[in-house]
Structure formats: C-alpha cells, structure tokens
Amino acid sequence: MSVTEIAKEITGKDKEDEAINLILRDVIIQKIREARDKIKEYETKYGMDYSSFEKRLKDSDFVRRIEQNGIIRTENDFFDWGAQVTELSYLEEKLREIGS
C-alpha cells in the first residue's frame, strides 16, 4: 500500500491532496502546540515574554543578575526561546497557507 493510499484510508478522504493536506495540517498544529508550550515555559521561568526579555538585556543590572544565575544557561534559553518564537511564526504562516 502506498503512502498516499494510507493517507486516504486514515483520513477518510478520497482525494490524495485532501488527505495529505489534512495530515499536514495536523502535524503543523501539533508543532505549533509544542512551540507554544516551550515558549510558555520560558515566559514562566523569566516572568516575561521574549520581546521584553530581549529589551531587558540592555539593562546592566538585569544582565548582572543573569550572570550570577549562570550566563551560559540563560544564553542557551535565550537562543532556544528565540528559535521557538521564530518557528511558531513560521508554522502559523504555513498553516494559513494550507488553510486552517
């Protein structure tokens, strides 16, 4: 059985493009949930959204507090958080493209 036949069977759609579209939509929605969950973790951890955190990095007192708590860990969080925000935006755009 081909992948498209399986997709049609699982989704109950007769047309290949409808079946693939439905599966792709579900995958994108799942990835959006994962990105939102990860972003929410960072927002909870740092008590602010990404944009606010990025602005606070210009505040020397804030940066000193970060350094005391482990700059490498915070940098890693910052880069991952930014990547999640970017991915979320990208995924939401793709979802709009295929039609939600």
Side-chain angles (χ1 to χ4, degrees):
M1 186 176 272
S2 73
V3 172
T4 53
E5 289 171 337
I6 293 170
K8 287 171 27 179
E9 181 181 312
I10 288 173
T11 62
K13 300 292 183 183
D14 293 329
K15 295 181 180 178
E16 291 177 7
D17 60 334
E18 289 178 359
I20 292 169
N21 190 343
L22 184 58
I23 291 170
L24 181 58
R25 181 184 166 279
D26 288 347
V27 168
I28 292 172
I29 288 170
Q30 179 58 36
K31 291 182 104 17
I32 286 172
R33 282 187 194 119
E34 291 169 5
R36 284 181 179 160
D37 288 348
K38 190 66 177 174
I39 289 167
K40 187 60 132 183
E41 286 177 29
Y42 287 125
E43 289 174 345
T44 300
K45 181 175 183 177
Y46 292 100
M48 63 189 84
D49 64 13
Y50 179 77
S51 177
S52 297
F53 185 85
E54 189 174 34
K55 288 175 188 169
R56 294 283 311 271
L57 289 175
K58 295 174 182 152
D59 176 357
S60 59
D61 290 335
F62 182 71
V63 171
R64 270 194 288 283
R65 283 194 305 269
I66 287 173
E67 288 171 348
Q68 292 172 350
N69 292 325
I71 189 72
I72 299 299
R73 181 179 54 233
T74 304
E75 280 182 344
N76 289 340
D77 285 354
F78 176 69
F79 292 125
D80 184 50
W81 193 356
Q84 295 297 326
V85 169
T86 300
E87 182 176 7
L88 178 59
S89 178
Y90 171 79
L91 292 167
E92 288 173 338
E93 176 61 29
K94 293 303 167 188
L95 187 59
R96 283 189 293 277
E97 285 179 22
I98 67 169
S100 57

